[in-house]
Amino acid sequence: MYSGNQLREMFLKFFEERGHSIQPSASLIPKDDPTLLLTVAGMVPFKPYFLGQVEPPFARATSAQKCVRTPDLECVGQTARHHTFFEMLGNFSFGAYFKKEAISWAWEYITGVLKIPESQLWVTIHPEDEEAKNYWIKEAGVDPARIVVDESNFWAAGPVGPCGPCSEIYVDLGETRGCGKPDCAIGCDCDRFLEIWNLVFMQYNGDEAGKLTPLPKQNIDTGMGLERIASVMQGVDSNFDTDLFMPIINKVAQIANTAYKKDAKTDTALKIVADHARAVCFMLADGIRPSSEGRGYVLRRILRRAVRYARLLGIEKPFLEQLFRVIQEHYAHYYTELKENENFVLNHLRLEEKNFLATLEQGTLILQEKVSSIKQAGLTSLNGQDAFHLYDTYGFPVELTAEILEEEGLTVDLEGFKQAFEEHRRLAKEQSRQMKATLEKTALIEKAKQTGPTEFTGYQEIVSEAKILALFVEDEETDSVGEGEEVSCLLDKTPFYVESGGQVSDEGILQTVKAVAQIKELRKLPNGTVLHRLFVKTGVLKKGDIVQAVVDSESRKAIARHHSATHLLHQALRQVLGEHVQQAGSLVTKERLRFDFAHFSALTPEQITAVENEINEQVLANIQVRVSEMTLDEAREKGAIALFGEKYGHMVRVVEMDDYSMELCGGTHVQSTGEIGLVKIVAEGGIGAGLRRIEAVAGQESLEYLRKMEYQLAEINYLLKGQGQDTVKRVDALITQAKDMEKEIQHLNAKLSKYEADNILSKVQDVSGIKVLAAKVQAADMDTLRQTADMLRDKLSEGVIVLGAAVEGKVNLVTVVNPPGLRGLHAGKIIKEVAAITGGGGGGRPDMAQAGGKDTSKLGEALDKAKVIISNFLG
């Protein structure tokens, strides 16, 4: 029996022996691909090669790729093979070989290396792919009776672009795993026939009309799920029973004081927790942070689902850190980021789990209120929309909701919940479809592929002599452009830095003797070609012209000051706060720097001062800034800090500031720290869970900032008619005075409310034997209105109070029923009808409720009708 780790290694070695370059798994964050939130397949890192955007550095590749998919999230734990995170083994060809080799090697690996009996294997093909069928029969020796035609065997990257037929290899797991139907075969929904390998033959380019044109280069993209092949080779019933999952499942069972294979409900929860914990740990290790949008929301949703199902197992305390240790132990030897980014993973696991447990508590209270309302209304079931709201907003699985309701003798409308859930999923899928974009095959991109990468000269010089290789107005190539026109320009070389790594693009001009064009935008295409978007200010630019490309030197210097200051800030934070500080993002402009970093509490004023002092000490030391190129391994051995979540090439650029700071960086910098000038932190705050942001200015911008502060201080002194030395005392005295006046106003309002309460008690009327007081009062806000209602409740020992006040063009209303439940009256229902007359709404508890209205002219009418509304409720 092979372990999961052995199967991964065997696959990669098999294809390495056949001339394939083993590629490490790419990040779960797709690089330069706005159409994807997450890496969902093994081919994703190679998309630029398949789409012809970039020339591949190798003709053959093989990889074990980390992937995350969530469209079938609800199926995880319910089936034998659905997961959120999984590993995709694959071999890829970029024009080096095609169907013959792909089919032969796949069959050789399955039958010769893994030794799966041919009698258990089936193959599917596209009905029009006779070529593949012949290779399966003649090259691989597959029995024609075991080849099945499937019309769905066609793969495309999108509506247009590379596409082609595919072949799938299935394993027959035996009748005991089947549904028992006489027609059970490939394509049946049962677990008998398991697809283990998909071979995609990308041989066409599809256009908008659906026409398929043969590609000049035919490519291969295959994918085999490691978890699936492990289940086959280890002879177990499901992917969850393999050694890839069992250590995690056993740990969850231990924490929950239960056992796997005990009962179906427990097993489902154990599988979900194990699967989701694995996905969460890998996503965090790649630098994805929990958030309320994008891939961060996907991470948060998976993590919360794990915690919810752990609750069903009786786990009520934080547990994810324990599971991370198990996952790290079994996976970190191959996926080293689990070890390298351990602190980041643990900090976010702890914080997110703690916060969600608090949210769950809040959801429990909401559900308890729902239970009370259901019982008071004489109902026996929670409606599906409310159940879904608890699921979507507070993270309650409907099973947990049903369990709590069952204890109260109530049920949940599961059909209504399913309808609400399906509607939510439909809307989510629609949004997902709208988010995906198709790649445009523009003439400009084709030209860029011909010209190749643009040589960057900006590290050595800020003025370069360059040749115009192409000019484009919109998507049409042109030989010349004149004054007032906007144009996209391709040069053979450029000194302009293109926005990358947080540093903004350079500013500047292209000029000849007769023409000047302003740089409007710079963009680097996937193949490394730099696109210069220009506005022609004077003269004419022509294709083939030799131009001077001139970087704005003042702008470049200001950007460099802020970028070098960012490196000093990073190291200063690590010294003051601790080594756990990791860069999470940055923005470097000529005006300022912004630095995002992992830290779990606000910086104190003393810490900010310490960081500022540390930076400026290094500036005054005038440290030389050295830049060198070396291999990634050499840089790591030297201790260079890499940007978390970033993937680097073999050769990297290292920026060193003596022995104080050393980072991998492709940006532009000062030659010595003394050029930076004064660095001043101007803002510090939180931007998300466990994430802080510092903004700072350097050099001339620091001077401007301090002058602005001095001017504002002078303005304050002028208004206070005081001197600089007593400004703080005078402002403090004003604040104290304002607070005292506010307290006096509140005291006077309370006295006024008491006076008014005594006066309006004369308006009490009898409605069907109940004292009812409905009156308009003066109240500056809702708090004052509630205080007035509380005073009247104390004075009116039994009855109903309805008070209204007009405040700044709006209506405030409060209703009190005392004692609660008096003659079956409900304050929330009464106020809802009263508020409706003023064009508003509201609600609340049976004993007290508040509401708002829009039309102040209707307030009198609403209060007059309050008595009728109460009478109607009394029957």
Side-chain angles (χ1 to χ4, degrees):
M1 183 181 80
Y2 295 115
S3 70
N5 289 328
Q6 288 174 320
L7 288 168
R8 185 193 302 113
E9 186 180 344
M10 287 164 58
F11 183 92
L12 297 176
K13 186 177 180 181
F14 178 86
F15 281 101
E16 183 183 37
E17 290 169 352
R18 284 151 185 78
H20 292 65
S21 171
I22 297 178
Q23 293 299 301
S25 173
S27 170
L28 286 167
I29 305 173
K31 187 175 182 181
D32 301 326
D33 191 342
T35 69
L36 293 171
L37 277 180
L38 295 158
T39 299
V40 295
M43 61 79 63
V44 168
F46 305 116
K47 269 179 76 176
Y49 307 151
F50 286 128
L51 296 173
Q53 297 170 325
V54 178
E55 192 66 30
F58 33 71
R60 307 176 181 196
T62 183
S63 67
Q65 175 60 47
K66 300 174 291 187
C67 303
V68 168
R69 295 182 191 171
T70 57
D72 299 313
L73 186 63
E74 303 305 319
C75 297
V76 174
Q78 309 289 341
T79 71
R81 51 184 178 263
H82 278 96
H83 303 294
T84 49
F85 172 89
F86 60 95
E87 293 182 71
M88 184 69 82
L89 306 175
N91 58 291
F92 309 90
S93 166
F94 313 108
Y97 63 84
F98 201 46
K99 294 181 187 178
K100 179 181 176 181
E101 293 85 352
I103 287 170
S104 299
W105 287 336
W107 198 252
E108 180 186 353
Y109 184 75
I110 292 291
T111 61
V113 178
L114 300 184
K115 301 193 183 303
I116 299 176
E118 293 185 19
S119 59
Q120 289 180 235
L121 298 171
W122 292 81
V123 171
T124 64
I125 60 168
H126 188 269
E128 297 177 14
D129 196 358
E130 284 296 319
E131 184 183 15
K133 182 179 180 181
N134 289 332
Y135 284 134
W136 281 116
I137 295 169
K138 294 176 182 177
E139 296 294 329
V142 176
D143 182 349
R146 304 191 76 80
I147 299 176
V148 178
V149 172
D150 187 342
E151 290 188 2
S152 67
N153 276 29
F154 195 88
W155 183 92
V160 297
C163 57
C166 60
S167 266
E168 297 165 330
I169 301 175
Y170 283 79
V171 175
D172 181 354
L173 299 175
E175 292 183 8
T176 56
R177 297 284 295 277
C179 56
K181 296 176 184 176
D183 59 348
C184 181
I186 300 289
C188 185
D189 289 336
C190 70
D191 288 335
R192 176 174 175 177
F193 295 94
L194 179 67
E195 179 207 331
I196 55 170
W197 206 344
N198 187 15
L199 316 179
V200 179
F201 312 123
M202 282 193 271
Q203 63 189 90
Y204 300 113
N205 185 62
D207 62 18
E208 290 84 351
K211 182 182 177 183
L212 300 178
T213 306
L215 288 168
K217 275 189 177 181
Q218 297 174 323
N219 302 318
I220 289 293
D221 159 28
T222 85
M224 174 195 285
L226 177 61
E227 291 79 5
R228 291 193 180 194
I229 196 64
S231 72
V232 173
M233 298 310 297
Q234 294 174 17
V236 293
D237 291 341
S238 80
N239 297 359
F240 292 99
D241 297 311
T242 68
D243 67 332
L244 295 167
F245 275 103
M246 282 310 301
I248 313 171
I249 288 175
N250 288 336
K251 187 63 178 179
V252 180
Q254 178 192 335
I255 297 168
N257 195 27
T258 187
Y260 185 48
K261 302 289 186 181
K262 176 184 174 183
D263 62 72
K265 189 176 180 182
T266 299
D267 287 354
T268 297
L270 288 169
K271 291 173 185 176
I272 289 171
V273 174
D275 171 275
H276 290 9
R278 191 172 72 145
V280 164
C281 291
F282 272 96
M283 291 172 80
L284 284 169
D286 271 347
I288 300 171
R289 291 171 175 78
S291 69
S292 56
E293 60 185 14
R295 60 181 67 94
Y297 177 69
V298 175
L299 168 58
R300 175 167 284 168
R301 186 179 174 208
I302 295 172
L303 186 150
R304 290 186 168 192
R305 198 165 185 265
V307 175
R308 294 193 323 245
Y309 276 90
R311 289 284 283 249
L312 291 177
L313 292 168
I315 302 173
E316 303 210 348
K317 292 183 178 179
F319 66 96
L320 287 173
E321 180 176 345
Q322 296 179 64
L323 299 192
F324 170 69
R325 294 299 183 192
V326 176
I327 292 163
Q328 188 183 52
E329 179 186 346
H330 287 84
Y331 284 92
H333 69 283
Y334 188 76
Y335 297 108
T336 56
E337 58 271 24
L338 289 167
K339 191 68 181 172
E340 293 164 358
N341 303 324
E342 176 182 313
N343 287 342
F344 180 87
V345 175
L346 289 175
N347 285 336
H348 279 285
L349 281 179
R350 290 164 184 155
L351 184 66
E352 192 69 14
E353 192 171 10
K354 174 187 170 186
N355 289 345
F356 182 54
L357 286 171
T359 302
L360 269 178
E361 292 298 331
Q362 186 181 359
T364 303
L365 294 174
I366 298 286
L367 183 55
Q368 288 170 349
E369 288 182 11
K370 294 284 184 188
V371 168
S372 299
S373 299
I374 291 168
K375 288 183 174 179
Q376 285 179 3
L379 303 173
T380 59
S381 180
L382 178 72
N383 70 60
Q385 193 63 47
D386 283 345
F388 180 74
H389 176 70
L390 283 164
Y391 168 83
D392 193 45
T393 305
Y394 297 101
F396 261 61
V398 71
E399 296 88 352
L400 183 57
T401 300
E403 206 171 272
I404 293 172
L405 290 173
E406 187 178 356
E407 292 171 0
E408 300 287 342
L410 304 171
T411 60
V412 60
D413 176 12
L414 290 175
E415 194 57 41
F417 172 83
K418 288 176 184 175
Q419 288 174 5
F421 179 82
E422 288 302 325
E423 176 63 13
H424 174 80
R425 189 152 71 171
R426 184 190 68 76
L427 291 171
K429 284 186 175 180
E430 183 63 30
Q431 290 170 356
S432 178
R433 278 195 296 271
Q434 291 171 0
M435 193 185 82
K436 289 185 178 177
T438 58
L439 184 76
E440 290 184 281
K441 283 280 185 181
T442 65
L444 191 153
I445 290 175
E446 288 300 319
K447 188 70 175 182
K449 284 162 63 177
Q450 294 172 23
T451 60
T454 308
E455 179 188 349
F456 178 59
T457 60
Y459 291 140
Q460 299 83 26
E461 57 191 23
I462 59 171
V463 179
S464 294
E465 196 173 80
K467 182 179 180 180
I468 296 178
L469 302 178
L471 295 167
F472 280 83
V473 176
E474 295 183 351
D475 194 34
E476 290 192 12
E477 189 171 5
T478 182
D479 289 332
S480 62
V481 287
E483 186 175 324
E485 288 191 88
E486 284 201 4
V487 60
S488 296
C489 173
L490 305 183
L491 301 174
D492 64 338
K493 63 181 72 169
T494 184
F496 299 108
Y497 184 88
V498 182
E499 182 171 354
S500 178
Q503 178 177 323
V504 298
S505 296
D506 277 329
E507 299 173 3
I509 60 171
L510 296 187
Q511 64 182 16
T512 65
V513 176
K514 297 180 180 179
V516 176
Q518 187 77 38
I519 297 288
K520 301 287 288 183
E521 179 190 4
L522 294 163
R523 188 156 59 91
K524 185 176 283 188
L525 301 178
N527 72 329
T529 303
V530 175
L531 182 66
H532 304 73
R533 187 77 182 161
L534 311 173
F535 175 76
V536 183
K537 298 175 75 174
T538 60
V540 175
L541 286 178
K542 297 189 293 293
K543 180 180 177 181
D545 276 354
I546 302 300
V547 298
Q548 271 198 326
V550 184
V551 176
D552 183 313
S553 62
E554 292 306 312
S555 172
R556 167 71 78 89
K557 288 176 185 175
I559 291 170
R561 284 195 292 267
H562 284 108
H563 202 152
S564 297
T566 302
H567 284 220
L568 293 177
L569 170 62
H570 190 183
Q571 185 57 32
L573 285 167
R574 289 168 70 87
Q575 290 199 355
V576 173
L577 303 179
E579 293 293 312
H580 66 277
V581 169
Q582 288 179 314
Q583 181 175 345
S586 66
L587 175 67
V588 176
T589 72
K590 63 181 181 180
E591 294 91 5
R592 65 189 174 109
L593 71 87
R594 188 182 75 203
F595 188 76
D596 300 340
F597 59 99
H599 187 60
F600 293 85
S601 61
L603 273 67
T604 64
E606 292 77 17
Q607 287 173 326
I608 292 174
T609 300
V611 170
E612 238 177 26
N613 288 343
E614 180 66 28
I615 296 169
N616 285 295
E617 280 180 23
Q618 304 307 319
V619 170
L620 291 171
N622 198 25
I623 301 168
Q624 183 185 354
V625 178
R626 296 190 304 274
V627 178
S628 56
E629 285 195 358
M630 60 188 75
T631 67
L632 180 59
D633 288 341
E634 288 171 341
R636 282 178 169 157
E637 283 175 16
K638 289 187 71 175
I641 295 175
L643 180 62
F644 186 37
E646 183 67 37
K647 291 293 180 182
Y648 296 91
H650 176 64
M651 296 298 295
V652 293
R653 190 167 179 266
V654 179
V655 177
E656 297 178 69
M657 298 176 182
D658 203 9
D659 58 355
Y660 184 75
S661 167
M662 180 164 47
E663 296 192 25
L664 303 188
C665 180
T668 59
H669 289 270
V670 298
Q671 293 185 331
S672 62
T673 58
E675 296 175 27
I676 297 171
L678 176 69
V679 178
K680 178 67 183 166
I681 294 174
V682 299
E684 189 278 335
I687 57 170
L691 215 54
R692 310 296 299 177
R693 171 173 290 172
I694 279 180
E695 295 189 32
V697 287
Q700 184 67 31
E701 286 65 33
S702 286
L703 184 58
E704 293 297 328
Y705 174 80
L706 292 174
R707 281 176 179 162
K708 184 180 177 182
M709 294 297 103
E710 283 180 346
Y711 175 77
Q712 290 178 351
L713 183 60
E715 284 283 291
I716 293 170
N717 282 330
Y718 175 77
L719 293 172
L720 293 174
K721 295 180 173 59
Q723 299 300 316
Q725 61 268 23
D726 63 353
T727 302
V728 175
K729 288 182 180 178
R730 291 178 69 82
V731 171
D732 188 50
L734 282 173
I735 292 171
T736 302
Q737 184 181 349
K739 287 180 178 177
D740 291 342
M741 291 172 70
E742 192 175 324
K743 288 178 183 177
E744 181 63 20
I745 290 169
Q746 289 175 349
H747 177 66
L748 290 172
N749 278 334
K751 289 180 71 174
L752 183 62
S753 297
K754 185 177 183 300
Y755 172 76
E756 195 165 16
D758 291 339
N759 279 340
I760 63 174
L761 278 172
S762 59
K763 298 180 181 179
V764 172
Q765 297 183 3
D766 185 282
V767 176
S768 301
I770 287 180
K771 294 176 183 177
V772 174
L773 174 57
K776 180 179 178 180
V777 297
Q778 297 296 319
D781 50 38
M782 186 62 83
D783 284 341
T784 305
L785 190 63
R786 280 198 301 268
Q787 288 172 10
T788 304
D790 286 338
M791 289 180 196
L792 289 168
R793 174 168 47 191
D794 293 340
K795 294 177 180 292
L796 193 69
S797 58
E798 182 180 290
V800 179
I801 300 164
V802 182
L803 300 182
V807 182
E808 296 179 353
K810 294 181 180 179
V811 174
N812 285 341
L813 292 162
V814 168
T815 297
V816 172
V817 174
N818 186 41
L822 176 67
R823 297 271 296 275
L825 291 172
H826 190 292
K829 294 179 181 179
I830 295 169
I831 204 165
K832 187 176 180 181
E833 294 200 19
V834 174
I837 297 169
T838 67
R845 304 191 308 267
D847 60 322
M848 187 174 190
Q850 65 185 47
K854 301 174 184 175
D855 190 349
T856 56
S857 67
K858 298 277 189 180
L859 178 57
E861 179 186 344
L863 293 169
D864 288 341
K865 289 185 177 178
K867 296 181 283 291
V868 177
I869 291 168
I870 293 167
S871 179
N872 290 338
F873 276 120
L874 290 168

